[in-house]
Amino acid sequence: MSVDIGAVETANQTFYTAIENADLDRMTEVWAEDSEVGKVSCVHPGWPLLSGRAEVLRSWALIMANTPYIQFVLTDVVTTIIGDVAVLSCAENILTAGDAGDASFAAGKVVATNTFIRTPAGWRLWMYHGSPVLQGEDEEGEEETA
């Protein structure tokens, strides 16, 4: 079982590396194929549900083309495997280029659930669902005084 967990976590890291490197070819390899059982799906933070491999990959191409810099630090990774399905949840701590150009950066946090399926070619991403973690000024102030 630990071998499978390692393989799923490697597939997950490949997914994030593809985003960071704007590598659409690698992103295409990460995602499973649609099947008669169903279509892959993706929910980017703040977006509606995207369904089907072509639509999902088009969304990643759009994000990669419009993101000059992005880096993920994953924390709180929990991986569960049941048969040929693996669910990996994690916190994406994101650093990206800010609105002020090359000299500025923005940070954010997303909680993600990535569902993988076992295929003859290895573990492939079946569903990504990211939800932003909203932190207001009140919450930040509470952390400082606690």
Side-chain angles (χ1 to χ4, degrees):
M1 186 67 117
S2 65
V3 171
D4 281 336
I5 288 175
V8 169
E9 291 178 354
T10 296
N12 192 64
Q13 187 58 53
T14 300
F15 168 63
Y16 287 101
T17 300
I19 301 168
E20 290 176 341
N21 294 331
D23 187 341
L24 191 57
D25 290 336
R26 180 60 60 108
M27 181 62 72
T28 300
E29 293 172 10
V30 168
W31 281 90
E33 298 287 337
D34 291 333
S35 71
E36 62 279 350
V37 176
K39 295 180 177 183
V40 300
S41 63
C42 181
V43 179
H44 297 290
W47 290 34
L49 173 68
L50 303 175
S51 183
R53 183 176 162 85
E55 187 174 9
V56 168
L57 291 174
R58 192 171 22 259
S59 74
W60 286 110
L62 180 66
I63 289 168
M64 290 175 186
N66 290 289
T67 306
Y69 175 82
I70 192 164
Q71 180 182 2
F72 293 87
V73 176
L74 304 181
T75 57
D76 306 318
V77 176
V78 177
T79 306
T80 303
I81 299 174
I82 301 173
D84 290 334
V85 176
V87 177
L88 185 149
S89 61
C90 62
E92 302 172 350
N93 300 280
I94 304 167
L95 181 64
T96 188
D99 293 334
D102 294 339
S104 72
F105 290 93
K109 186 172 188 175
V110 170
V111 174
T113 302
N114 301 327
T115 302
F116 293 84
I117 58 170
R118 189 190 320 261
T119 73
W123 290 98
R124 296 294 182 258
L125 193 55
W126 183 256
M127 186 201 76
Y128 168 84
H129 188 146
S131 180
V133 176
L134 304 177
Q135 295 181 338
E137 291 181 27
D138 292 339
E139 292 173 7
E140 291 173 2
E142 289 173 14
E143 289 177 6
E144 291 174 6
T145 59

